[in-house]
Structures are given as C-alpha cells and as structure tokens.
Amino acid sequence: MKFVATGDWQLGMTAHFLDDEARPQFQRARFDAVERIAEVVAEHDARFVVACGDVFESNQLDRRVIAQAFDALRAFDVPVVLVPGNHDPLDASSIYDSHRFIGGMPDHIHVLRSSEPHEVVPGVEVIGAPWSSKRPQRDLMAAAVEGREPAPDGVVRILAGHGAVSTLSPDPDDPAVVEVSDLQRTLADGIIHAAVLGDRHSTTEVADRIWYPGAPEVTSRDEIDPGNVLVMDVAPDRCEVEKVNIGRWAFTVVGEELDSVEDVEVLRRRLQGMDAKSRTAVWLRLSGTLSTAAHARLQEVLDEASELFAKLDAWERHTDLAVMPEDADFEALGLTGFARQALDDLESAARGEGNHSDADVGAAQDALALLYRFAGGVR
Amino acid sequence: MRIESVTLRNYRGVEDRTIEFDDGVTLISGPNEVGKSSIAEALRLIRTKPDSSKAREIQAITPVHKDVGPEVVVVVTTGPYRVEYAKRWRKRATTTLNVFEPSPEQHTGRDADQRYLEILKETLDIDLLEALEVQQGKSLDQPDLAQLRVLQNALGDEESDESDDALMERINAEYEVYFTPRSGKPSKEGRALSDAVQELTRERDRLMGQSQEMQAFVDEHAERGVAIDRANRSIASMEEELAALRAKDKELRGLAESRDASDKALADATERLKRACAARDERREAIAWLERTDAEITEEQSVLDERDADRESAAEARDAAHERARRLEKEQAEVDADLTKLRRALDRHRAVEAVEKLEARVKAAQQADDDVRAAEAQMEAEKVDEGALKRLTKLQQDLRVAEAAQEAAAANITVRAMGDHSVGVDDDTVQPGAQDSRPVIDPVRVTVDGIVEVTVQPGRSPEDLQQGVDAAHAALVRELSKLQVADIAAAQESAERRHRASQAVQDAKARRDQNLDGAELSELEVELARIQAKVSEDAPSNLGESDTWEARIAELDERRTGLVEELASAREELEERRESASEAHTVHASAQAALEEKRRNADQHRRRLTEAREADSDEALEAAVEQADIAVEQATAMRDEQQMALDEADPESVAEELENLEGSLETQEKVRNDARERRSELQGLLRDRERLGIRDLLDDAEAELEEVTQRYERFQRRAAAIQLLHRVITARRDEAQARYVAPFTSEIDRLGKILYNEEMQVEVTPDLHIASRTVDGRTVAFESLSGGTQEQLALLGRLACAQLVDREQGAPLILDDALGFTDEDRLRALGRALAKVGRTTQVIVLTCQPDRYKYLGKAKHVTLPLRGEAVSSGEGVGNDS
C-alpha cells in the first residue's frame, strides 16, 4: 500500500526578502508544488496523500488562499488527508473552520480534527494528531495513540502529526516535544505501522518508520534538504520509503574568499554558471581583502548578477570583506596636489590607522572607491 | 599670450578698423561711443560664440541698417603659436584659423573654433584671460583667482591641473545628490527615503500589532473555552452537593415544624393553667371579700346609730334658739309703738309754735312785695334815666356848637351907647357908655328908645352851617319827644324822680328778702298751710305733761338699742343651730344610704357566689389547677426534647451551606455565561479580522519595508562615503589655496608700495580675495573702503596675478575704462605700477580720458577717431616706436 507523505506546504507564504518580481512567483511556486505532488501520486500509483501540518502559512491569511489551494488540490484523484499544524492550528481563527473552507472543500479532502482513526481507504487508517493551538501543553502524537489497541488484522495504521521530535528538538523542555522512544514503542506494539511528521522542512528519517517528509518547496536558506515528498509503501511487516524531489526553487548561500580581481572573476563565473537564476535566491558570504579597484569590479559583477537572481543578498550584512586601497589603483589616475593629499588621508582612514571606528573605516573605503571612480578609474 | 591686432568690420558702429597692440602697454583712447569697449568684447565673442550663433550679444553687435554680418579678426601669439583667427556672424557666416607658427595650419568652421580653443588651452588658462579683463563698470569687483591653475602653479603648486577641477566638480555633483550644498543637510531624496522607512515601519508595526491582537483573541478564545469547561465541571459537582443538602434541609424543616407544634401545645397548656389558677384565685377572693364586707356592715350600723342621736339633739337646740328670738322681737315691737306715740305728740306740740312765727313772716313779706311793685310802677312812669339824660345833654351841646359855628360865620354887630342914652338891642339894653356886641344871625333890632330903630337883617349864612344847626336841633327835638319831656330841665326833673323810685324798690326788696330768708313766698305759704293742718289734729291724751316726753323718748330709745343687740345675737345662734342640725341630718342620711348600698352589694355577691358554687365547687376549681399544672410539665418536656434534636442537627449551618452553595453555583454559572458571551464576542472579532487578510498585508509591508530599508542603508552608506570624500578633499583644497595666499599677498603688498608710497598690508582669503587693507596700523574691510581704493585694490589683485603668472602662460591685462574712482595722485602711481607690469605682460588700457593714464611710462597710444574709418596710430607719451 503506497501513499505520499508530505507536509509544510506553507501555502500563502511570501518571502519579503525577495525582489519585487520574484516574490509573487515564489508565492505561486507553493501551489505549483502541490500540483506536482499529484503527478508523483499518479506516477507511483499512490492511494492517498497525508499532509502533516502547516498546509497553510497562517490562519491570518486572506481567505483567497483557500480557493487557490482547492484549485491546486483538484489535481488529485486520491484522498488527501490534512492534519493541522502549528501554523494552521484548529483554534478560533482556524482557516479550516472558515465558511469558504467548509463550503468549498472538495470531497476527497479530509481535515483530521481529532485523533479518531480515519479510514482513508479500505484497510488503511490514519490517526491524526492535529494542533488546536499554537502552544500545546503535551506530546500530541503520544496523546493521539494513548490507550489504543493494536491495529486489527488487515488494517495498516499511519500516525500523522506535527512538531519537533525529542532527538532533534532545540528545546527539550518544550512540553509539546514528540518523544521518539514512545513512538517507537507504539510502533513495536503494532498500534501504528508508521509515523510521519511535519515541522522540519528538510527531509529526515528520525528512526525506522518515523519520517519527516520535509517541505516540497524551500522556505528558508537554513534548510538542508528541502523540496521533497516521500512515497511510502507501508505494511505491518514492511516500510519502504522513496524520496522524490519536486522542488523548483533554491535558496543558496555562496561563500567566496576574494583577495584579488581574479577571485572576483571566479565569483562572477560561479554565479553565471548557476541554473534557474530567477528561482534562486543567493546569499553571499564574502570574505577577504580587495583593492579599491577590485572592489569596484566586484560591485559591477554583483550589480549585473542581482538583476538575474530572484535575490542576491550581496552587501552590507553578511559580508566580511575588507577593501584596501593599493597604490597601483590610484597611481594610474595620476592624482596630484590636494587630490593626492585627500587620497592619502582616506587611505590612512581605510586602513584603520588613527582613531577610527569601523563605520569610519567602512566609509573611508567607500569614499576611496568613489574617489577612484570620480578620478576616472572606472568608466 | 599676446594680442597683435584686432580688426573689427561692420561691428556695431565700426565699419572697418584695425588696432595693433604693443607687447607692453597699449593705451587706446577715444571719446565715448567710438567702440573702445568693442575691442575687449570682440576678443571675448570670437572665442565664445560660433559663427552660427544667434545669441543676443551677436544681434547686439550687428549693424542696424546694413545687410552685412559683423566680423572680427584677431592676430595673437600664444606659446609657440602665432595665429590669425577670423569670424563673421549672421551674413555669410564664416570662421577661419590660420596658424603661421610653429607650422602652418588652416582651419575653417567648427574645426577652426576647436583648434583655436585647443591652442588656447594648451598655452594658457582661459580663466586667466577672463580674470585679467576689467570690464567696463566692473572695476570694483575682485577677480576669482583662486581656481586659476596658472596662478596656482606660479604660487607653488606645480601639479595642479584641470583634472582637479573636473574631479571637484564630480565630487560636488555627487555630494549634492545626498546633501544640500550649503548647509550640508540630507538631500530631498535622503529625507524622502528616511520618511519612507519611518512610514513603512509604522505601517508594519501597525499590522504586526493587528496580527498580534488577532492571535491574542485566539488565545483568549481558547482560555475562555478552558474556563467554560472548568465552570461546567464545578457546576455539575455543585449541583450534586446541592441536591444532598436540600434533602437534609427538608428533613430539618420537618423537625422544626414538630418543634413549633410542641411550642404551641406548651403555650396552650400554660394558658389553661393560667386560666384555672385565675378561676381558683377569683373564687378565693370572692369568699374573702364577702366575709370582709359583712364585718364592715356590722361596724357601720353601730356608727349610724350614734349619728341618729346626734341629729336629734341638734334639732332641739335649734328650736330653743328659735323661741328666744321670737320673744325678743315681740318686746321690741312694743317699745317701737310707744316711741311712735310719744314722738307724734311732741311734733304737734312744736308745730303750734311754728305756725305763729311763720304767719308773721308771710305778712311782712307780702307787704314788702306790694311796696316793690308800687315803686316799680313809678319808675316805669319816669322815662328819663341817667343814660337818656346824658344823651340829651350831648345833643344840647352839639346844637350849641353848631350855633356857635353859625355865629362865627355871621356878621357881628357892636352897639355902643353914647351919651346917656341907653340903646336897645333886641330885647337887651346897652347902658350908656357900655357896649354890646353880637352876631347877626336873626334880624337884630337896635333901638334907641325913641330915636331910632334899626333892624339889621342877617345875610344868608353858609348852607352847610345852617344844615348842621338844623340837624342838631332836629336830633334834640326828636330825643325830647321820645322821652316825653319838654326840655332839658324837665328831663332833669324826671330823672330825679326816677332815681328816688328806684331807691324805694331797693328798700322794699331788702325787707321782703329778710322775711323770706332765702325761700320763695309761695313756699312759705305752703309750709304754713301744712303746719296749720298738723296743728288741727287731735291733741293726744294720757301722755302726761308734754315736757316729760323728750326724756321718755330717750329712755325708750336706750331700751330699744339693748333689745336690738340681744335679738341679733339670738338670730346668730339660731342660724348656727340650724346649720348643725342640717349637717347632722345629712351625715346621718348619707351614712344610712351607704350602708344600705353596701348591704345590697353584699347580697348580690352572695347570690353570685352561691350560683358559682352550684356550677363549680371550690374543690373542683382546686383540682383543675392541679391537672393543668401537670399538663404544662408534660408539654415542656416534649418541646425540650425536640429542640435538643434540632440543635444537634445545626440547621443554621445547613442553611448557610445551602445558601453559599447556591451562590457559588450562581457565580459559576455567571462565569460560564460571561466566558460564553466573551467567546462569541471574540468569535465575532475574529471573523471580522479574518476578512482583513492581515498576514498578507503584513508580508507585503515587510517586503516593502525591507526593500526601502536596503535602499536607505545603501543610500546612507553612499552618503557617508561622499560626505567623507567631500570633507577630506575640500579641506585639502582649502589648505592648498591657503598656501597660495602668502606669495600672492606679498606681491600685492609689493605693488601696493608703488601705489601708496607707504607701508601697506592686505589680508587675503584662501580664495584669493582681498579681505581688508591695513595702513598705519588701521585695518579696514574691503567692503568698507572707498570706491577708489576698492577699485585700486581689485586692480592690484589682477596686477599681482599677471605679475606672478609665468610669462609664457600669461594673458593680456585689459582695463576697459577703469579707475574712474581713482584720484590724480593715485593714477600717477598706478601708471607706474602698470608700466612695471607691462614689462612682462601685455597691458591694454581702453579709456575715454587719456589724461588719467599719462603716467603709463613707455606705452603705445592709439587714438580712435569719432566715427572715423582710419585709425590714427600715433606716438603716445613716452611711446618708443
């Protein structure tokens, strides 16, 4: 029995750091990803889909997102089980309780509002551990199976929930942490046959039969392995998992050490060589020391590249790049007299000589670049 | 640079004129309007305006009534070049440049212009060209020398070149993108970005607040849900407890009702006991009362018997007193009768004596009364009384006065008897020798017996005198008539008689009054009649002698007085006895009545007691009391037992608990209802917020804020960079300029000595403007100096500059009608200074007053004729050619 495990669709999510043109495309990409999951279902002959929470980015979204979601969900011809997570909990503002959702929900969509076993297809039960608030005070996965008998013969049971597991949680004191050992015991007791969770956007095997399928489309540059869904084949005596990549977007951190104009060229070529630039956000982590001239070149390179990528976070915040004037830079410009003296002053400040703050040093480096440009060094 | 010649054709009013210049000083003079200024102007225009120019300045130099274009040809030497540059504007516009040295070149049109500029730029600083020209009317303005590179080079900065200017321009232009040029405040764009960041931050925060508020509603909604569950649980358990408590309360109520019934039974028994006691006590009282009353009746009967005796003795005493009083009254009546008899006899006896005396008085009085009447009749007959007599006498007198007045007015006759004859005058006789004199009022008859009779007739007397006499006479006659007397004498007699009658009346009246003694005669007569009647009564008999009567009366009076006293005391006693008897009677009667009443009352009670005993015997009443007492004891015991049971069950705390629990239940229900109500309210609020799509708005706002923030940060970073660059380079440039100040200042000071023949110092700013001049320790700001001095100092600046600049790189110094403010002495000194500068620099002086410049030393002097075609180029003062 095959099904597709997924989660963290985060429909309605935007990325404010993206450029103006890229932002709507990125938002659209999440709906496109849902449609591609339908393709995976068809390709693998899966019998249903389980989405483990955070289907929607927020309960505070404009309700138009429901129509868009239903439109994307029409691509499925198998049941799709949605389990509310921490971004879309079943609280008083729940998107699942809105008139538009209840009124327009297609028949093959099922929202698990309790932990009663839900027979999604004959012989398969899904037990959901839905979130009813943003801060549950206990392990909802454990609560969902508490007191349950082992699955009857001939029935496969899947536990679907959301949240951090004890082995990966950054906050072990969080009462909502999902205790992995409890899950394993439940599995061992035959109460369930597999557990899938949302919340972690990178595809992760927590333990045997315990999986995070991850987000089908990247949402943050910190994610290790996003853009996947899991095709799971589960039986009481079997659990085969296939990871299928469907993500189209990439959030990439590019680190380069730049110490010469040649290094700048290497960076330029590296950026040039990247695919799908309009769906790629790049964070540069640049370090090293460049001459004023080389820095001027770097800026030209980055100016060009930023026009191609969905995002090129080049300067200021993630850069540890020093710009040091070199005599050669300015010699060709032949500055004399007071201009030369001003150049000397700025060079001294740019090297941090004397009583200068970092901001002063930065400003001096920038001023040198300007001087370099105005004196005819560039263009 | 040196200008060899300038040719003007069809230029303003000049048809065709060529002026050649000396290498040193050239003085060009001529009256106004001959086109001196045109030379300087032509040098500028040929350089700055292409032949195609339609600029206002070109229109201004075009001749008005000719169909020709203005044309300028200059021949200049600059650096290694010697060129002829010719330009015609407007009509058949053309430009040509002939380079003669160092190697021949020819250019036309734009090429010519460009090449000429190239040559100029290569060999000199065009700014210097402009700085060294003193245009007409601008001699007080100081030239901008600080940016002159040739000067900078001359002053020690050999590296300065035009690229510095371009650099500064770019830096300033960039700076002005970020800051205002003067105050260095953030530019409009910077402010707009900053404002946008603030505005978007506010918007983002607002939306964030809305989002958080919505989440707070959600959280509260959940909390309220928990509260409702909690309340529901409390309510359920409370309702259970409440049911148990209510059952117990009901049981206790039953117990309390029984206790209340026992209370009632006890009260009834107590009441019955009270009534039985009362009945028994009443019976005892009735028996005791009857016994007491019977005893009293016996006692009071004996007292009544005593009272009866008292009453009888009092009646006897009263009767005795009555008898004594009656006896005394009788005795007094007898005395009174005797007294009456005696007194009547005495009265008659005294009346007989009184009648005799009274009869005599009446008679005398009657006689006197008759006399009065007779005398009064006589008086009545005599009319003249004293008053009438006086009136008559007065009237007589009046007549005599009237007559005397008449006589006085009448003629008077005096008759003297002569001789011995007597003369008769009327009835009188005048004896001889005597005389008679009288008035003639009536005819007077004078007779001498026998001899003569003369009658003197009176004249007529005045009428009023006559009337007076007549009136007096009439009045007298009338009065006499009225008094019925003939004349005055008769009147006097009558009056005498009347007086005597009056006296007689008086006498008779006195006599009568004496007899009457104050009474009226009629009264006396009545009295007399009365007394006479009394006397006529019978004389009493058996009374003895009348002279004993009075003594006997006195004796009887005395006896009567004694009797009266005795009778009064007897009557008093009688009254007392009567009162005592009456009182005794009353006391007895009332005691008797009381006793009888008492007896009746006692009988009545006795009857009642008998009847009561027939109904309930004394013994039965006593037994009833005993029985009731036992019943009370029993009821008390039962009630106490029930009360004790009730006290043990503590119904008050049960009721309290019940009340408390009901209150708590109500509170919980209210808590639950409030929570429910708030939940629906929150649900409503959430439905409302839901529609906003806060998250989408917030995402958009954050994206926009992010973008603008980045732009702003980049802007600020660039601003910081350009600000720093601008600050550093401006400071360095100012420093460099400041270094030029010293040599420039000393050059001005040096030239100043020539001009002022004295120690003079100027202060020069970094931009090479003269700020002030100091002479004899007095420093005056440039602006405060006189026009002449300002003009001289401005020129000195130019001279210093011309002097300092490298000879090869120099430009001609052109003075167009300058020094108009300068006096003669200074002009002379200035001439020396110009001549000195002229040794190294070409100096061209244009003036309409050549006298001003007569001390120019060796100079070429060109005089321009008024509208002349030819140019007279002659020898000026000290001209060396």
Side-chain angles (χ1 to χ4, degrees), chain B residues 379-386 388 482-484 494 498:
Chain B
M379 269 182 77
E380 192 68 26
E382 298 300 336
K383 302 277 187 209
V384 181
D385 56 9
E386 285 300 315
K482 189 173 140 198
L483 296 173
Q484 295 173 346
S494 175
R498 186 178 165 97

Side-chain angles (χ1 to χ4, degrees), chain B residues 73 257 315 331 427 501 606 718 776 788 797 853 865:
Chain B
V73 182
E257 273 167 25
E331 195 173 342
D427 297 337
R606 213 181 321 280
R718 290 201 202 103
D776 296 338
Y853 298 98

Side-chain angles (χ1 to χ4, degrees), chain A residues 57 60 62-63 366 374, chain B residues 170 211 690 695-696 717:
Chain A
E57 164 67 2
Q60 294 184 358
D62 190 310
R63 296 308 191 229
D366 291 346
F374 292 148
Chain B
R170 285 185 199 139
S211 173
E690 217 175 79
R695 182 51 183 256
D696 302 77
R717 185 157 170 180

Side-chain angles (χ1 to χ4, degrees), chain B residues 319-429:
Chain B
D319 291 348
H322 191 249
E323 186 54 32
R324 184 185 157 218
R326 219 168 30 205
R327 186 175 44 79
L328 284 172
E329 275 169 6
K330 193 179 170 188
E331 195 173 342
Q332 190 188 351
E334 283 165 6
V335 172
D336 280 350
D338 288 348
L339 268 173
T340 306
K341 210 186 289 175
L342 277 174
R343 277 186 181 132
R344 196 176 290 156
L346 189 61
D347 282 352
R348 189 183 176 275
H349 177 72
R350 282 177 184 161
V352 170
E353 287 173 354
V355 164
E356 287 167 8
K357 280 182 193 165
L358 195 57
E359 276 175 346
R361 274 177 68 197
V362 168
K363 266 185 198 152
Q366 281 171 340
Q367 184 59 51
D369 198 37
D370 291 345
D371 291 349
V372 168
R373 268 195 289 272
E376 282 175 349
Q378 198 175 351
M379 269 182 77
E380 192 68 26
E382 298 300 336
K383 302 277 187 209
V384 181
D385 56 9
E386 285 300 315
L389 189 61
K390 264 186 188 161
R391 277 195 311 276
L392 278 178
T393 309
K394 173 80 169 51
L395 288 172
Q396 178 77 24
Q397 206 172 333
D398 290 347
L399 181 59
R400 281 202 190 120
V401 168
E403 283 171 347
Q406 197 177 31
E407 275 172 27
N412 206 50
I413 188 164
T414 306
V415 176
R416 188 178 290 153
M418 306 295 208
D420 31 325
H421 295 288
S422 55
V423 178
V425 179
D426 285 342
D427 297 337
D428 297 322
T429 305

